Amino acid sequence: MSPYRTHYSKELNQDSDGKEVVVAGWVEDIRNLGSIAFIILRDRQGTLQITTFKKEHPEVFKKLVSLSRESVISVRGICRANEKVRNGYEIIPKDVEILSRAETPLPMGIVDKVNVEMDTRLDNRFLDLRREEVRAIFLIRDKIIDSAREFLRKEGFIEVHTPKIISSASEGGTNLFRIKYFERDAFLAQSPQLYKQMLMATGFDRVYEIGWYFRAEEHNTRRHLNESTAIDVEMAFIENEEDVMKILERMILHICRKIEGMEELSRLGIEITAPSLPLPRIRYDEAIDMIRKKGLEIEWGSDLGSDEERAVGDVMKERGVSFYFITKYPLDAKPFYTMPEGNLSRSFDLFCNGIEIASGSQRIHDHDLLEKRLREDGLDPDDFKAYLKAFRYGMPPHGGFGMGIERLVMSLLNLKNIRECILFPRDRNRLTP
Ligand code: ATP
Ligand code: MG
């Protein structure tokens, strides 16, 4: 137990009434009325009130009222039931220990209702995270990751970690960060794609990774980061991409059920209702029709941009649907490892409120077809030797998906900017803090 605290704010109850307790946290507010002063103290659970009387403890009174906001203190005192204060109990202090004084003025307010610019908030993220509604996002994020893990383990997936320093492009994309690796060049991994596929040749059968994507996306958008996190899943002995979609939609349902009762949601003014399964599956062809009916021009065969995705999202919203798949994309719109089906592919994207949150597919497991598709995509099979080798000595049919964690949090919580969903975002302009 900490020497600075016996109780958190929400642990004060009838049992503590009249007893000595020690509480600790940040000084959120001080109201000095001359002979009496009220201090609002904030800890990880919430806030509590400290009520100090000048006459009774002049030293303690003086110490408390002279504090700067956001200083860290530990207070020993008597807990007293008082129905007029926020959580029903106040502390009458006997002793105050100042653990850390906050400088003034603060770079940004914590409880003030003024709007703070995103950049100011991110420059002072440690302060920003003291705000209840910001902390709520990360508490929900934590629960999402925890429930995804819980679900995948129960389904027999094992957690793996694949290299983030790689020698060549995993998907032949151009958006890779180049780094110095001793005498050579290397890259930061844009996804664990090639490695999780190679693991399908090992007999692990079902793997998942919660890790990082590094993508040198040039453009600053509200839904792209240069460093993001994702849940990647790969599973073997599947019949087709439908088997993968079933795992993904059940994982989404499990996550929604786990978070739908969280009080943090009400702090954000959000309600989440678990979707009913199966989630709607919209074929790419149908999606194109929907988009054209919304008045947008789109050529068959091209990938959907954010406007097109939103158009489909609007149609689905009118139908009261927040989660849905778009399936069977044209082969050319998907990466080389995607299993062909005529000129289409066994692929899918999962959307939540008009935003892409996951992409997946059945993969090619035949070595020669894979090599052919690499070439057709303008890639050199020689760059993929180590990967291709895993397909030559027994590779079962397999498939999987990658789901962006920030994208999921953002779309579930209806946040406008993906930067809200990662502690210290990396974007085109931001490398600190
Ligand atoms: P988009 O088309 O939205 O740029 P993508 O199709 O290039 O994404 P994938 O390669 O399919 O992305 O990656 C799988 C998932 O990872 C995406 O569905 C998304 O949730 C997430 N993701 C991909 N790139 C980013 C990024 N730059 N920032 C945040 N999340 C990302
Ligand atoms: Mg995608």
Side-chain angles (χ1 to χ4, degrees):
M1 202 204 283
S2 163
Y4 302 118
R5 169 191 284 140
T6 56
H7 290 70
Y8 282 106
S9 51
K10 284 201 180 137
E11 289 169 356
L12 301 174
N13 55 28
Q14 288 169 343
D15 288 344
S16 3
D17 189 19
K19 303 220 175 79
E20 187 175 286
V21 297
V22 188
V23 293
W26 286 260
V27 174
E28 192 168 280
D29 196 18
I30 303 165
R31 266 193 304 144
N32 183 359
L33 305 182
S35 57
I36 182 173
F38 305 104
I39 286 86
I40 303 299
L41 192 73
R42 187 185 61 248
D43 63 21
R44 61 179 283 177
Q45 293 185 343
T47 56
L48 57 83
Q49 179 174 300
I50 295 160
T51 309
T52 174
F53 302 92
K54 195 175 192 173
K55 252 197 194 145
E56 279 174 31
H57 293 286
E59 285 308 309
V60 171
F61 183 93
K62 207 173 128 201
K63 216 169 176 180
L64 281 170
V65 298
S66 62
L67 281 168
S68 50
R69 272 186 179 197
E70 296 302 318
S71 293
V72 181
I73 60 172
S74 168
V75 175
R76 192 168 58 83
I78 300 296
C79 175
R80 209 168 67 175
N82 178 351
E83 49 188 37
K84 275 185 260 162
V85 304
R86 283 184 224 192
N87 49 341
Y89 297 91
E90 62 186 342
I91 311 290
I92 314 298
K94 287 184 186 166
D95 261 329
V96 178
E97 189 175 346
I98 299 169
L99 301 176
S100 169
R101 262 182 218 281
E103 287 180 28
T104 53
L106 293 167
M108 60 175 277
I110 308 298
V111 278
D112 317 75
K113 287 281 168 268
V114 285
N115 269 340
V116 188
E117 294 275 331
M118 190 62 151
D119 271 331
T120 311
R121 289 179 48 202
L122 293 177
D123 285 341
N124 301 282
R125 194 59 152 164
F126 67 95
L127 281 174
D128 187 44
L129 284 160
R130 292 183 193 177
R131 296 163 65 194
E132 212 178 23
E133 64 279 17
V134 179
R135 295 163 59 76
I137 296 170
F138 290 93
L139 293 171
I140 296 166
R141 182 188 154 114
D142 170 62
K143 191 75 183 173
I144 287 175
I145 296 173
D146 186 46
S147 17
R149 208 176 240 132
E150 182 183 64
F151 172 81
L152 291 167
R153 297 196 83 89
K154 243 189 354 223
E155 292 294 321
F157 288 83
I158 64 160
E159 184 163 3
V160 298
H161 294 94
T162 63
K164 298 300 158 232
I165 303 178
I166 55 169
S167 64
S168 67
S170 31
E171 310 190 11
T174 48
N175 53 353
L176 287 167
F177 285 112
R178 190 184 291 268
I179 57 166
K180 271 258 153 295
Y181 192 73
F182 305 108
E183 299 77 27
R184 299 191 270 165
D185 278 348
F187 301 93
L188 292 178
Q190 73 194 137
S191 98
Q193 183 63 33
L194 306 191
Y195 288 94
K196 61 178 184 168
Q197 281 194 265
M198 284 158 79
L199 289 176
M200 295 301 96
T202 63
F204 283 135
D205 281 3
R206 293 185 156 207
V207 303
Y208 72 100
E209 173 163 356
I210 300 182
W212 284 264
Y213 287 3
F214 301 97
R215 299 195 178 186
E217 324 255 8
E218 294 259 356
H219 306 290
N220 255 335
T221 80
R222 284 166 182 271
R223 52 194 191 108
H224 288 95
L225 294 161
N226 293 112
E227 181 183 46
S228 63
T229 60
I231 301 174
D232 263 273
V233 162
E234 203 69 21
M235 51 200 278
F237 298 101
I238 58 164
E239 193 182 335
N240 51 40
E241 77 277 27
E242 205 21 73
D243 291 342
V244 182
M245 289 156 73
K246 281 193 183 117
I247 285 288
L248 176 52
E249 66 185 351
R250 285 176 51 225
M251 182 173 97
I252 291 290
L253 177 63
H254 184 77
I255 292 173
C256 289
R257 287 210 175 120
K258 288 283 171 169
I259 62 170
E260 65 189 350
M262 287 181 80
E263 63 174 291
E264 282 76 13
L265 288 171
S266 52
R267 247 172 253 164
L268 293 168
I270 299 240
E271 259 181 69
I272 284 178
T273 31
S276 40
L277 300 192
L279 299 179
R281 283 131 164 88
I282 305 163
R283 294 173 57 99
Y284 174 85
D285 289 344
E286 299 170 59
I288 293 291
D289 286 345
M290 282 176 168
I291 293 164
R292 288 182 179 153
K293 276 198 189 119
K294 280 270 169 194
L296 296 175
E297 273 174 42
I298 181 161
E299 220 178 293
W300 191 95
S302 56
D303 205 3
L304 310 183
S306 57
D307 288 344
E308 287 85 34
E309 290 179 354
R310 209 173 308 118
V312 179
D314 289 345
V315 176
M316 296 313 282
K317 196 174 171 188
E318 287 157 22
R319 299 183 191 171
V321 171
S322 45
F323 286 101
Y324 53 90
F325 288 108
I326 297 183
T327 63
K328 308 279 184 201
Y329 282 84
L331 188 57
D332 290 344
K334 287 291 171 189
F336 68 85
Y337 50 76
T338 312
M339 181 68 96
E341 196 174 86
N343 63 344
L344 302 179
S345 63
R346 295 195 177 169
S347 59
F348 59 86
D349 283 353
L350 175 66
F351 292 83
C352 174
N353 298 322
I355 294 172
E356 178 193 320
I357 57 170
S359 282
S361 62
Q362 180 179 352
R363 327 295 192 188
I364 296 170
H365 59 282
D366 178 82
H367 173 272
D368 296 349
L369 177 58
L370 190 56
E371 203 180 78
K372 178 170 161 262
R373 288 291 304 139
L374 265 168
R375 284 215 180 82
E376 284 170 0
D377 239 18
L379 297 163
D380 182 356
D382 271 354
D383 293 339
F384 291 83
K385 260 196 189 136
Y387 165 70
L388 284 169
K389 197 171 180 185
F391 291 76
R392 287 166 42 201
Y393 304 94
M395 173 63 95
H398 64 276
F401 63 84
M403 180 174 78
I405 294 173
E406 291 79 24
R407 286 276 181 91
L408 174 63
V409 176
M410 173 189 185
S411 56
L412 260 182
L413 303 184
N414 261 324
L415 299 167
K416 297 278 169 294
N417 193 328
I418 196 165
R419 291 162 185 76
E420 297 275 7
C421 310
I422 191 158
L423 289 171
F424 299 102
R426 293 288 172 262
D427 64 28
R428 190 75 168 86
N429 306 317
R430 184 174 287 280
L431 202 48
T432 49

